[in-house]
Amino acid sequence: MRTFFYATVGALAISIAIGWWGARLVMQRWEAQQRAILAQAAVQALLAASPAGDEGVAPTVYRDRIADAVLAYGVVADFPDARPATAGDEIQTEPAASGSRLFRLTLPLSAPIGTSLRLTRRASPWEDLLSWWLTWAWLNAIAGLTIALTAWRLRRRRWARAGALQQWVDQLNALSADAPPAGSTLPPEILFTTDPQLGELRDVLEHVSELLTRHLSALLLERSRSRLVLGNLHEGVLAIDGGENILLANESAARLLDQSVQQLESKPLVQAIRIPYLVSQIQQVLSDQQPIQAEFQHGTPSRKLQVSIHPLPLSGDRPGALVSMRDVSRIRHLEHVRRDFIANASHELKTPIAAIRAYAETLHMGAVEDKEATEQFLAHIIGQADRLNALVQGMLQLARAESGRSMSFQSIDVSKTLAACATAARALCESKGVAWQDNLAELQIQCVSAPEALQTIVNNLLSNAVRYTSAGGCVRLQVGTENGELHIVVADTGQGIPAEEIDRIFERFYRAARDRAENPSGTGLGLAIVKHLTQELGGRILATSRVGHGSSFTVVLPLAPVPSTELA
Amino acid sequence: MSRHFVHDLEEAFHQLLELSGTVEQMIEQSIKALNSRDSQLAATVIASDEKIDRTEVQIEEECLKMLALHQPVATDLRRLTTMMKVNNDLEHIADLACGIAERADRLADYPAFCIPDLIERMAQQTVLQVRTGLNAFVHHDTSLAEQVIASDDDIDRMNGEVIQVLTGQMQTDANWIPPAIECFSAARSLEQIADHAVNVAEDVIYMVEGVIVRHRYGTRLSGHSDGTPPPGS
């Protein structure tokens, strides 16, 4: 603004100067004009005054004087012999009233008509001045305009510079937290400025910008690191402030609550988490400031989530809450299996012991006298003891299979190894009226495995197959190789296993509900042993079944064992 | 709008969210009861329906009071009416969940009957639909709402497949007719729940955009210029 003011004042001054100079010029010209008019008048007066007939002395004098006047004031040269004017012949001027001027000429005369000729003229210069000004006003206007334009352009250049500065400041302002600024983005007007003030400002700003960039990138790095750690945390974490808004949520939390992080973060608690139980627990912690541990079910398929909610001292006036949660479905399932195992094991062991005790007591109370009854009871006792023995053997075998020791790998002929199993199973089938099929005779497979373990696996599978197949059915043992692996298939046309139980049949002591009622002789350990031995041999087992149509178990084993260290 | 109105609206909204949470849980529990044939869990679900009914009436009364007292217009009016509709839908969903729980209770008498796996998948999809619909409502997100509307066909298709499987089971063994009918009914309830989720989604679109898309969503989808295919297709 100040520049503009100076420019205007300058323009005005120059305009005034031009005006003053012009007026002086005009005045000078006007004065000369007036003097000429006066001199002319003087000549006329002298001519008129000279006596017509007196051509002697007087005319010469007059002529001289006239010539002087003519010479001095530039009247047309009718008088070639005029002399320079002498002092005292000057035309005197003096200001007169109302802006006009008075011109006075006094010529001394030595003639008979008088001693001097005096002429006076009054004239005003204003008309001339006005006409001059009107003629030359546009020049003045152009000069003023030019000056003002120059000033404006100068100012605009300053503005442009300020604009560049502004632009840069805007850029600085626009530095978002997500994208660190890419180096200095100073516009060239500022970068190469010659203005010392601007240069200083530039240096300060550059310094600040550099500082900001450094701190911002440090902060961003920090943030991305903590995000990374929090995001990859297996536990779900939620931070909630005193106003029941979610401050922070990690990926695991979102996954456990079936939401996305965007749907959780910085949203009100009741809106984002619509699990009444969890919300009420969090609200309780917010109000009581006492940590809570809780467990609840959520989602389809249902998961068990364990949450621990702790008060979170935030900087504001009201403390928040920190929620950490994890999926404990698997742990709870394993606990369930373990409890089942203990319950089943004690039950299975208890039953034969109770029977033995009952028979023994009966004998003790006198039945020993009855020979027939004694025989019968003793047979029962032996039978139950055998069962107990089978159970304990089974559990030991299972324990051995699980510990993975006592496995001796050797090169074996599969058909020879399995021949004994097939013979025993065929005998069982014949006694039960079940058809038998096997393809051992046409086999020529060599593999490196533990023969005893392999026999146990096949024996267990075959005895199950025979046990659950009623007369008229069929049991099949089929061995072959596929993709460099040994496939042993044991299939039956028995009662089959319900779909919801097929995942559990390999658990220890697990027996399908119907099986327990119909086949009390089973121990419930056979398939668990099969599974563990198969795993020890580096293989896997697949079971498929349809209720009423039979079951099929496929044991897949490597033809050459993988070193056991790699199995772990 | 007056501060009182905003406060009341927020209050009712939170109440509605609480209701939605409970309803979501009820669906999940009823499905769990169905799969595990857990009569006790089924009874819990059926028992919680009473509370839902009470809350529904309470929310509706609140909304009516607000309508009469504050006479809201434009966005506020849309929001209020949508809340009333969603409230109604949620109550229906809760009733249907109770229906599933009742089926679960009766299926408990047929432990040997094999419930088709597809029902489990259909249930998961349905719960997802309901959750997404409510998310759309909570976050005023029309894209989520459109997602819900577009994936309703999947549920309908699954329902058809379930019916086929059940018919097959009934044909193989006449003993399975009663449990299969229970299953069939449960699947139908799931399909209806999904339809209510679609209703919620349509209400959300009305609330946000002021356009009623009910009964003519197909034209809306085909008329979309952004060219993004509806998810799930």
Side-chain angles (χ1 to χ4, degrees):
Chain A
M1 217 53 221
R2 260 166 66 176
T3 329
F4 196 66
F5 173 72
Y6 287 144
T8 316
V9 168
L12 216 65
I14 289 170
S15 175
I16 288 169
I18 291 173
W20 180 76
W21 169 79
R24 248 191 71 165
L25 218 69
V26 171
M27 283 294 279
Q28 275 175 10
R29 254 179 53 193
W30 173 75
E31 215 174 292
Q33 218 174 353
Q34 296 305 319
R35 279 165 194 266
I37 292 168
L38 198 65
Q40 191 90 37
V43 171
Q44 295 295 328
L46 282 175
L47 285 176
S50 64
D54 192 3
E55 290 281 334
V57 193
T60 316
V61 178
Y62 299 147
R63 275 179 186 274
D64 284 352
R65 302 296 331 166
I66 292 164
D68 284 350
V70 166
L71 202 70
Y73 307 118
V75 182
V76 189
D78 282 342
F79 311 96
D81 49 350
R83 287 177 294 132
T86 53
D89 296 345
E90 299 287 325
I91 292 174
Q92 309 289 320
T93 70
E94 57 187 88
S98 64
S100 56
R101 250 179 132 86
L102 207 62
F103 293 84
R104 223 177 21 233
L105 177 64
T106 311
L107 293 173
L109 292 177
S110 51
I113 55 166
T115 54
S116 63
L117 174 71
R118 182 172 296 205
L119 288 160
T120 306
R121 179 181 165 81
R122 211 181 91 174
S124 162
W126 292 122
E127 272 183 23
D128 280 58
L129 274 178
L130 190 69
S131 74
W132 177 88
W133 193 81
L134 280 176
T135 322
W136 293 101
W138 59 271
L139 190 71
N140 206 349
I142 286 176
L145 218 64
T146 315
I147 289 162
L149 205 72
T150 318
W152 181 67
R153 282 193 54 179
L154 271 171
R155 169 120 185 97
R156 231 182 70 142
R157 259 178 59 188
R158 286 293 284 271
W159 276 345
R161 224 187 283 166
L165 205 63
Q166 181 66 47
Q167 194 187 340
W168 187 54
V169 169
D170 285 348
Q171 277 177 3
L172 278 180
N173 278 337
L175 292 181
S176 70
D178 294 332
S184 173
T185 46
L186 268 176
E189 291 94 326
I190 297 172
L191 203 56
F192 305 114
T193 184
T194 48
D195 188 334
Q197 280 181 330
L198 205 58
E200 204 174 319
L201 183 65
R202 172 199 60 198
D203 292 345
V204 169
L205 281 177
E206 264 186 338
H207 180 64
V208 170
S209 152
E210 194 187 324
L211 220 64
L212 268 178
T213 313
R214 218 168 47 224
H215 286 185
L216 200 62
S217 37
L219 272 175
L220 281 175
L221 187 71
E222 182 94 349
R223 199 179 82 141
S224 65
R225 266 192 207 146
S226 52
R227 280 255 139 203
L228 195 71
V229 170
L230 206 61
N232 285 299
L233 208 59
H234 185 64
E235 289 203 329
V237 176
L238 287 175
I240 291 142
D241 69 5
E244 293 190 12
N245 290 306
I246 298 175
L247 293 176
L248 184 146
N250 69 351
E251 272 80 6
S252 299
R255 186 166 37 76
L256 289 174
L257 297 172
D258 293 325
Q259 301 271 15
S260 69
V261 174
Q262 288 78 23
Q263 280 170 344
L264 289 176
E265 260 185 347
S266 51
K267 295 272 160 49
L269 178 65
V270 280
Q271 287 189 20
I273 304 175
R274 295 188 304 276
I275 304 167
Y277 178 73
L278 182 58
V279 172
S280 68
Q281 294 293 312
I282 293 171
Q283 282 169 338
Q284 197 182 329
V285 172
L286 286 175
S287 61
D288 296 356
Q289 300 301 315
Q290 293 296 325
I292 285 181
Q293 288 256 0
E295 212 172 286
F296 65 96
Q297 294 212 338
H298 173 68
T300 318
S302 166
R303 294 188 301 262
K304 260 204 156 62
L305 299 183
Q306 191 185 53
V307 287
S308 64
I309 312 169
H310 288 267
L312 183 66
L314 292 167
S315 51
D317 48 350
R318 278 191 295 175
L322 184 68
V323 183
S324 63
M325 52 187 146
R326 58 201 186 112
D327 190 347
V328 290
S329 315
R330 190 158 166 70
I331 296 172
R332 292 290 171 268
H333 175 70
L334 288 177
E335 279 174 6
H336 185 67
V337 170
R338 188 177 55 87
R339 264 202 309 276
D340 272 7
F341 171 69
I342 292 171
N344 288 334
S346 40
H347 175 77
E348 297 289 342
L349 291 173
K350 203 179 70 195
T351 318
I353 289 173
I356 290 169
R357 192 187 154 81
Y359 290 128
E361 264 180 8
T362 321
L363 286 176
H364 184 68
M365 280 159 67
V368 100
E369 305 301 330
D370 183 344
K371 193 140 173 79
E372 199 179 327
T374 309
E375 290 259 316
Q376 200 184 345
F377 284 2
L378 284 175
H380 278 305
I381 289 176
I382 289 168
Q384 291 298 332
D386 282 348
R387 181 163 152 65
L388 208 55
N389 185 42
L391 261 171
V392 173
Q393 286 292 332
M395 283 166 79
L396 281 175
Q397 206 173 16
L398 184 61
R400 244 198 332 270
E402 277 178 340
S403 68
R405 269 172 265 158
S406 75
M407 284 279 203
S408 58
F409 282 85
Q410 61 194 74
S411 180
I412 50 169
D413 182 332
V414 176
S415 60
K416 266 187 198 157
T417 311
L418 297 184
C421 308
T423 315
R426 186 185 292 125
L428 271 174
C429 282
E430 276 164 9
S431 70
K432 227 184 148 183
V434 173
W436 168 263
Q437 285 178 8
D438 73 60
N439 67 340
L440 291 180
E442 62 230 44
L443 273 185
Q444 275 300 327
I445 302 174
Q446 291 285 328
C447 90
V448 179
S449 194
E452 283 164 28
L454 199 59
Q455 279 170 346
T456 312
I457 291 171
V458 175
N459 270 336
N460 278 337
L461 288 177
L462 284 176
S463 70
N464 272 353
V466 176
R467 187 179 302 150
Y468 297 116
T469 307
S470 39
C474 174
V475 171
R476 185 163 55 92
L477 170 67
Q478 190 161 10
V479 183
T481 54
E482 205 173 292
N483 300 330
E485 287 174 319
L486 179 65
H487 282 236
I488 303 171
V489 182
V490 176
D492 63 58
T493 56
Q495 63 195 50
I497 305 157
E500 62 265 23
E501 292 189 342
I502 205 151
D503 292 333
R504 297 199 64 190
I505 53 173
F506 293 106
E507 287 174 16
R508 287 168 293 192
F509 289 119
Y510 184 84
R511 293 169 70 186
R514 251 192 328 178
D515 168 47
R516 194 178 287 281
E518 292 171 9
N519 285 295
S521 61
T523 59
L525 287 172
L527 285 176
I529 293 169
V530 167
K531 186 187 173 193
H532 281 289
L533 285 176
T534 312
Q535 279 175 350
E536 286 303 320
L537 293 178
R540 58 187 190 276
I541 183 159
L542 314 164
T544 54
S545 183
R546 274 183 70 193
V547 174
H549 288 80
S551 316
S552 162
F553 291 85
T554 307
V555 177
V556 182
L557 293 174
L559 282 173
V562 187
S564 61
T565 45
E566 282 180 25
L567 274 175
Chain B
M1 266 298 127
S2 73
R3 256 189 19 226
H4 285 294
F5 176 65
V6 173
H7 179 258
D8 287 355
L9 199 65
E10 263 331 280
E11 192 94 319
F13 185 56
H14 283 175
Q15 224 174 344
L16 189 61
L17 288 178
E18 207 173 307
L19 180 75
S20 73
T22 318
V23 171
E24 270 181 65
Q25 205 173 17
M26 275 176 76
I27 310 174
E28 281 168 6
Q29 282 179 345
S30 65
I31 288 157
K32 189 167 178 238
L34 187 78
N35 281 327
S36 57
R37 292 156 213 240
D38 186 342
S39 305
Q40 213 174 346
L41 190 59
T44 323
V45 173
I46 295 167
S48 53
D49 189 44
E50 197 192 331
K51 191 180 154 230
I52 299 282
D53 290 349
R54 262 205 321 267
T55 319
E56 191 237 349
V57 172
Q58 208 177 335
I59 292 173
E60 186 158 325
E61 276 173 357
E62 285 294 318
C63 289
L64 288 173
K65 206 165 73 189
M66 272 187 271
L67 268 181
L69 214 60
H70 301 281
Q71 300 177 352
V73 290
T75 319
D76 292 316
L77 179 65
R78 288 212 300 270
R79 185 151 179 224
L80 196 55
T81 46
T82 306
M83 271 166 63
M84 288 175 76
K85 286 179 155 192
V86 170
N87 186 27
N88 201 4
D89 279 324
L90 284 176
E91 199 271 331
H92 279 209
I93 292 177
D95 284 347
L96 289 166
C98 283
I100 296 175
E102 278 165 23
R103 310 289 148 216
D105 189 26
R106 262 177 252 160
L107 271 172
D109 299 339
Y110 301 92
F113 178 71
C114 200
I115 299 175
D117 295 342
L118 202 59
I119 287 200
E120 169 86 22
R121 264 177 38 223
M122 187 175 161
Q124 280 176 21
Q125 186 72 22
T126 306
V127 170
L128 186 72
Q129 286 280 84
V130 173
R131 184 165 299 136
T132 315
L134 289 171
N135 274 345
F137 175 58
V138 170
H139 303 299
H140 293 213
D141 189 338
T142 47
S143 63
L144 282 183
E146 282 170 13
Q147 200 177 317
V148 172
I149 296 169
S151 19
D152 189 46
D153 291 343
D154 290 351
I155 304 257
D156 291 347
R157 210 182 47 240
M158 280 188 196
N159 190 30
E161 285 170 31
V162 167
I163 290 170
Q164 251 177 2
V165 172
L166 288 172
T167 319
Q169 273 175 322
M170 287 194 253
Q171 277 164 348
T172 47
D173 192 342
N175 288 332
W176 293 147
I177 290 178
I181 285 177
E182 302 291 347
C183 254
F184 167 77
S185 167
R188 217 175 106 77
S189 296
L190 283 175
E191 194 260 321
Q192 282 172 332
I193 289 177
D195 285 347
H196 280 293
V198 170
N199 282 358
V200 171
E202 284 165 348
D203 291 342
V204 169
I205 293 179
Y206 168 71
M207 175 173 77
V208 177
E209 297 179 359
V211 186
I212 296 176
V213 290
R214 231 170 19 249
H215 314 307
R216 55 188 177 91
Y217 197 77
T219 54
R220 180 187 158 91
L221 263 192
S222 57
H224 254 221
S225 52
D226 55 8
T228 48
S233 65

